[in-house]
Amino acid sequence: MNFNNQNPQNKQTKRTLLLIVLVVLCSSVFGFTGGYLANQSSSGVTINQVTGKASSKASKSDVSSVASKCGASVVEIKTEAVSSGDSMFGQYVSEGPARGVIISKDGYIVTNNHVIDNASSISVRTTDGKDYEAQLIGKDADSDLAVIKIKADNLTPATFGDSSKLEVGDVAIAIGNPLGELGGTVTEGIISALDRQIDVGGTTMTLLQTDASISPGNSGGGLFNADGNLIGIVNAKYSSNSTSSGSVEGIGFAIPINQTTDIIDQLISNGSVTNRPVLGVSLYDYTNNSNYYMGDNSDKETGVYIVQIVNGGAADIAGLKEGDRIVSVDGKEVSSSSEVKAAISKHKIGDKIQVKVNRDGKEKECTITLQGSTNN
């Protein structure tokens, strides 16, 4: 048989088969559900991220392999804070346990802002039992995120997942430090809800909800998917003391990981978030029991008021004034400063938004071009 004299149809068939083989090989490397990215941000820190949906719904028997993969990426954090208070002994030191997630081999760790806020010292213990003093790199109260760093090499960084692809019912695995004494505790559950609007410390945040057990000491820990990829940073939970409507359990929250990458980059580069859109105002939530003096309070409506305006800021340019009560943002009624901030957080610097205010009993609608913040 002469192999050099194949007819065109045979050649085309072989080319087609070769193309199919290449597609199968590529699919086995990258997976049908997404690709693998290693992004070096402007801060110089490389964060590994997998795009797309987790490949499977892990059963309970799979949790051990997930925990084995990502357990070394979660560290214990202990903080000390010096407080004056009213103690007869003067100043005293308080301690707080929490968790953090390693994001680079050379020691960058992400955790919650509320974990390290006001801390006079921060220490980290890795899963191999080694203790390190940590340096605060940057923090941001609005996102409840902070980055710290330890002097270490060859650590095991977490691989970021893709929180935009999550669905209710997807597996969620939390690794935490309950009570500050049970480091490395693994709990399994599901994603109970997406895009929950939750008030955390006076700031409205958009969070993932999970029924994976979350306990005191879990703050800053990782929430992982069925493939062991990081999908959230745990930061809040409801407990039996969190609501007046009765005892509740199995309601925990985490910051979606896709919301964190740009903030982490800015914290490492600048120590703060510098490109958040702002109105350029100070707001005050007025109620009938408020102590803040706002002129003749007898006819003052409850709501969110502008009490200070930055000269040359976005609100100033648009014509807003001190004493204006903000009625709505982008057509949605607001009654608190947290609701205003939540509405603005959905935009970018340079976006135009519609803000309706009540001034001396008359409503006025303004178009405001958002400016960027210059400090944390």
Side-chain angles (χ1 to χ4, degrees):
M1 180 181 292
N2 185 350
F3 291 95
N4 294 322
N5 293 323
Q6 298 178 33
N7 62 46
Q9 183 176 0
N10 287 338
K11 289 183 180 180
Q12 179 63 34
T13 301
K14 286 197 169 187
R15 281 195 291 266
T16 302
L17 289 173
L18 179 59
L19 179 60
I20 293 173
V21 171
L22 289 174
V23 169
V24 171
L25 287 173
C26 289
S27 298
S28 66
V29 174
F30 293 106
F32 288 102
T33 57
Y36 179 84
L37 302 175
N39 296 325
Q40 184 168 1
S41 63
S42 59
S43 65
V45 175
T46 298
I47 293 177
N48 295 326
Q49 183 165 21
V50 173
T51 62
K53 187 171 174 55
S55 60
S56 65
K57 308 276 188 179
S59 65
K60 288 184 181 296
S61 61
D62 298 320
V63 175
S64 59
S65 61
V66 172
S68 176
K69 171 185 175 180
C70 53
S73 302
V74 182
V75 300
E76 297 177 37
I77 295 177
K78 288 188 177 181
T79 61
E80 289 187 352
V82 178
S83 302
S84 297
D86 297 322
S87 171
M88 63 181 293
F89 301 105
Q91 291 185 331
Y92 62 92
V93 176
S94 60
E95 296 184 351
R99 301 293 276 181
V101 181
I102 299 170
I103 59 174
S104 72
K105 291 183 177 180
D106 60 346
Y108 282 99
I109 297 167
V110 63
T111 187
N112 292 141
N113 173 74
H114 76 258
V115 165
I116 54 79
D117 196 31
N118 299 320
S120 56
S121 67
I122 307 169
S123 61
V124 168
R125 173 171 290 183
T126 52
T127 53
D128 58 6
K130 294 182 179 179
D131 294 315
Y132 301 87
E133 291 299 317
Q135 172 192 2
L136 175 62
I137 300 299
K139 62 178 183 174
D140 179 58
D142 285 348
S143 64
D144 194 23
L145 291 172
V147 174
I148 61 177
K149 191 177 188 303
I150 60 176
K151 293 182 179 179
D153 294 310
N154 298 317
L155 298 175
T156 304
T159 298
F160 284 27
D162 188 350
S163 57
S164 70
K165 302 299 182 181
L166 290 173
E167 298 176 359
V168 172
D170 282 349
V171 167
I173 299 169
I175 300 181
N177 183 25
L179 307 176
E181 299 175 355
L182 303 172
T185 295
V186 177
T187 57
E188 184 226 15
I190 62 170
I191 297 296
S192 305
L194 305 170
D195 302 326
R196 286 294 197 204
Q197 298 291 313
I198 303 298
D199 186 280
V200 180
T203 297
T204 299
M205 303 185 67
T206 303
L207 303 173
L208 302 173
Q209 181 183 331
T210 180
D211 69 347
S213 180
I214 305 295
S215 302
N218 280 63
S219 290
L223 191 69
F224 297 86
N225 65 14
D227 293 333
N229 298 321
L230 187 66
I231 53 173
I233 303 296
V234 174
N235 75 323
K237 71 161 290 183
Y238 277 139
S239 67
S240 56
N241 296 323
S242 300
T243 176
S244 59
S245 60
S247 177
V248 292
E249 293 297 338
I251 303 180
F253 300 97
I255 305 165
I257 204 63
N258 287 22
Q259 292 183 14
T260 72
T261 50
D262 180 60
I263 293 172
I264 289 171
D265 186 31
Q266 291 188 65
L267 294 180
I268 294 174
S269 298
N270 311 311
S272 63
V273 177
T274 58
N275 71 348
R276 179 178 285 118
V278 294
L279 282 178
V281 298
S282 295
L283 302 175
Y284 181 76
D285 295 334
Y286 176 75
T287 67
N288 293 329
N289 298 320
S290 296
N291 295 321
Y292 188 86
Y293 179 73
M294 299 186 66
D296 182 8
N297 294 339
S298 60
D299 59 349
K300 227 33 152 181
E301 291 189 53
T302 60
V304 54
Y305 285 80
I306 298 174
V307 294
Q308 188 176 11
I309 293 184
V310 176
N311 289 333
D316 184 32
I317 294 172
L320 296 186
K321 296 182 178 181
E322 293 180 9
D324 287 349
R325 177 171 63 87
I326 300 180
V327 177
S328 67
V329 178
D330 285 338
K332 183 178 180 179
E333 291 188 4
V334 294
S335 59
S336 67
S337 56
S338 62
E339 290 177 342
V340 174
K341 291 178 181 178
I344 294 172
S345 68
K346 298 177 182 179
H347 291 274
K348 298 179 180 179
I349 296 171
D351 284 357
K352 296 182 184 298
I353 64 171
Q354 298 297 315
V355 175
K356 183 183 293 185
V357 299
N358 185 293
R359 181 184 302 165
D360 300 326
K362 297 180 180 180
E363 290 190 346
K364 175 181 176 64
E365 188 158 1
C366 299
T367 300
I368 301 178
T369 303
L370 295 174
Q371 297 178 346
S373 62
T374 57
N375 51 59
N376 195 24

